[in-house]
Amino acid sequence: MIEAQRLCKQYGGLMAVNDVSFRVEPGQVLGFLGPNGAGKSTTMKMLAGFLAPSSGRAAVCGHDVVSDSIAARRCLGYLPEGAPSYGEMTPLGFLEFIADVRGLSGDLRKRRLADVLGRLHLDTVLEQPIETLSKGFKRRVGLAQAILHDPEVLILDEPTDGLDPNQKHEVRELIQSMAADKTIIISTHILEEVHAVCSRAVIIAKGRLLADATPAELERRSRYHGAVSLTTPDAVAAKEGLSRLADVSAVEIDAQDGRLTAFPSAGKQIFDSVSGYLREQGIGFSELQLEQGRLDEVFRSITRSGEPLLTDAEVAR
Ligand code: ADP
């Protein structure tokens, strides 16, 4: 549904997007992750036909975004960063205008307008100038604009940025509800979002794509994957004893919450030996937990090092 092949965008001496390739299959929600300035918006603008690539190509629903731009744009909805619209228009006026631009008419137009106004709960603000709306409502107007023509592909640039937790939750639910029959890319630097809505994630930093994996695969690259953490009043004694266990490579005590974490040697399972040791020694503990891995730590280590993520197969080798 979406394909980027060796996309590059150069601004003067800066390679804002540098040789980025990926595909998004039907029904996938792809999280586009990266620190500020990584090249996420620039990539999305190229996919949405707003910016021409310096080199490389991209296609949406099989249509090249440069040579077959109108056809590509017909099948995609795009929410630019910050959800820009026309502040002096009302949501109804703005969406009527978008319906005109999208060539919607007759019954279909009525149905689509009713659908998006209902889905995005815009009924109470239909006649209020957009510039006087809260940030949450402005974002909803932007989302309504993006989905009005019921596109197969959605490109959403930071759809939850700057929203309060309830509004974030609402937008995520909306994305999830559309995920079954659409292909979606969302950019974010909020890692909890990846868990909440994404089936796959790519990580980009300084214009380069460094990872393309499922959230679970990313977690497996975390040094916390397979680690065992717990709370104990005897943290210092427990740390010393656990450090001597076979297959435990390190034990750390968190300076903030005092939780103790035992890390496994590569590929080893240590949950049973850690919990067994604590019981044998009569060391009291609570909240014993096997860690899946921490996305924030993987994100930091990849984006700081600039090194591409190893695949499972590469790790096994
Ligand atoms: P992100 O969306 O990941 O925060 P952007 O794609 O907005 O990153 O920006 C990538 C890089 O390109 C940044 O260094 C940014 O300053 C630069 N950039 C973006 N747009 C322009 C432009 N129109 N002219 C020059 N540099 C730009």
Side-chain angles (χ1 to χ4, degrees), residues 227-241:
V228 177
S229 62
L230 56 113
T231 302
T232 171
D234 276 339
V236 175
K239 179 179 174 186
E240 213 177 286

Side-chain angles (χ1 to χ4, degrees), residues 33 200-205 208-223 294-295 297-303 305-315:
L33 312 180
R200 226 177 89 218
V202 299
I203 297 180
I204 131 168
R208 285 192 174 275
L209 195 145
L210 299 177
D212 182 346
T214 63
E217 279 166 342
L218 287 176
E219 284 176 342
R220 283 204 287 280
R221 293 290 93 75
S222 162
R223 68 187 279 261
R294 299 186 186 175
L295 275 183
E297 186 245 338
V298 180
F299 178 85
R300 263 201 314 276
S301 78
I302 293 178
T303 54
S305 71
E307 295 291 327
L309 182 86
L310 294 176
T311 61
D312 285 356
E314 284 166 337
V315 172

Side-chain angles (χ1 to χ4, degrees), residues 11 14 16 35-43 81:
Y11 292 118
L14 175 78
N36 287 328
K40 303 183 295 295
S41 291
T42 304
T43 305
E81 192 176 4

Side-chain angles (χ1 to χ4, degrees), residues 16-255:
V17 174
N18 194 349
D19 202 14
V20 165
S21 302
F22 60 89
R23 291 163 63 93
V24 197
E25 309 293 343
Q28 279 188 338
V29 180
L30 179 76
F32 218 64
L33 312 180
N36 287 328
K40 303 183 295 295
S41 291
T42 304
T43 305
M44 291 182 135
K45 283 177 193 163
M46 289 192 280
L47 294 176
F50 270 64
L51 267 185
S54 304
S55 64
R57 58 177 295 272
V60 174
C61 299
H63 306 290
D64 189 281
V65 298
V66 176
S67 63
D68 201 3
S69 171
I70 301 283
R73 280 189 261 179
R74 235 175 230 141
C75 57
L76 86 84
Y78 174 45
L79 175 72
E81 192 176 4
S85 59
Y86 296 105
E88 67 282 12
M89 286 177 135
T90 64
L92 187 59
F94 180 59
L95 292 172
E96 292 276 7
F97 163 66
I98 298 294
D100 288 343
V101 171
R102 291 289 184 185
L104 292 172
S105 62
D107 267 359
L108 178 63
R109 179 187 179 108
K110 277 192 205 135
R111 272 207 312 278
R112 292 304 308 145
L113 279 168
D115 179 64
V116 298
L117 294 176
R119 252 182 214 252
L120 290 147
H121 310 292
L122 288 169
D123 334 33
T124 54
V125 297
L126 281 183
E127 304 291 352
Q128 193 179 326
I130 293 171
E131 63 200 358
T132 67
L133 297 178
S134 68
K135 214 168 187 173
F137 269 115
K138 282 183 186 149
R139 195 64 51 91
R140 287 191 214 170
V141 172
L143 280 163
Q145 160 281 125
I147 63 174
L148 185 62
H149 59 302
D150 198 17
E152 289 172 85
V153 170
L154 272 177
I155 296 180
L156 309 176
D157 198 350
E158 309 229 356
T160 61
D161 188 45
L163 300 184
D164 73 34
N166 292 337
Q167 294 166 334
K168 280 191 167 85
H169 182 74
E170 248 176 46
V171 170
R172 284 177 198 152
E173 280 198 329
L174 179 78
I175 294 170
Q176 273 165 335
S177 74
M178 295 187 300
D181 59 350
K182 296 200 189 303
T183 305
I184 303 175
I185 300 188
I186 68 165
S187 71
T188 179
H189 50 255
I190 307 171
L191 293 162
E192 57 185 292
E193 210 130 80
V194 177
H195 268 301
V197 297
C198 300
S199 46
R200 226 177 89 218
V202 299
I203 297 180
I204 131 168
K206 295 193 181 130
R208 285 192 174 275
L209 195 145
L210 299 177
D212 182 346
T214 63
E217 279 166 342
L218 287 176
E219 284 176 342
R220 283 204 287 280
R221 293 290 93 75
S222 162
R223 68 187 279 261
Y224 284 89
H225 178 67
V228 177
S229 62
L230 56 113
T231 302
T232 171
D234 276 339
V236 175
K239 179 179 174 186
E240 213 177 286
L242 291 173
S243 304
R244 288 197 295 268
L245 289 182
D247 300 336
V248 170
S249 66
V251 182
E252 290 175 7
I253 299 174
D254 188 291

